[in-house]
Amino acid sequence: MNLRRDVFQAISDPTRRAILLLVASQAMTAGVIASNFDTARPTVSKHLQILTECELLKQAQNGREIYYHINAKKMKEVADFIEPFRQMWDARFNKLEDVMKKYKPNT
């Protein structure tokens, strides 16, 4: 059975978010990625598989090595989806800040 991975479920995991941050600046092999964590390499490989299945990471083979790198297009899709929510919360916090600036405690 081939289940489609959910992007938001994938990025809800702190280890997977850390992996995305690691490979954001440069492509890395699974071994290099795994060396940054105190977990077994198969565990990191499972995280890489999930990130690849939901298309947040892409694989590129160079000789015998497979390098993982960010799929910028997919990351932009996620950011574009989240942006209206960020704007809504920014507006709400700005309104709250305005109210708090006008608030004068009774002394």
Side-chain angles (χ1 to χ4, degrees):
M1 179 192 274
N2 186 9
L3 297 176
R4 181 167 164 79
R5 297 282 183 183
D6 178 65
V7 169
F8 294 100
Q9 183 179 12
I11 61 176
S12 71
D13 183 273
T15 301
R16 290 193 282 270
R17 288 193 308 269
I19 291 170
L20 290 171
L21 288 171
L22 274 174
V23 299
S25 59
Q26 69 180 29
M28 295 181 182
T29 64
V32 172
I33 294 168
S35 69
N36 288 276
F37 298 94
D38 290 331
T39 58
R41 185 169 171 170
T43 303
V44 173
S45 291
K46 182 65 176 173
H47 287 302
L48 291 170
Q49 177 186 0
I50 291 168
L51 290 168
T52 302
E53 286 176 3
C54 67
E55 300 176 346
L56 290 171
L57 290 182
K58 287 186 175 182
Q59 298 176 340
Q61 186 137 7
N62 186 0
R64 295 184 334 171
E65 299 287 344
I66 296 175
Y67 285 84
Y68 293 87
H69 58 94
I70 288 284
N71 180 353
K73 183 178 178 184
K74 189 66 167 187
M75 293 297 286
K76 181 163 178 4
E77 287 177 20
V78 172
D80 289 348
F81 177 82
I82 292 172
E83 182 61 20
F85 298 101
R86 188 195 64 75
Q87 290 176 2
M88 176 188 68
W89 282 105
D90 279 350
R92 288 182 180 185
F93 284 123
N94 288 339
K95 287 179 184 177
L96 178 60
E97 184 178 24
D98 291 342
V99 168
M100 295 304 293
K101 284 179 182 176
K102 295 175 186 173
Y103 175 73
K104 293 182 179 154
N106 294 333
T107 53

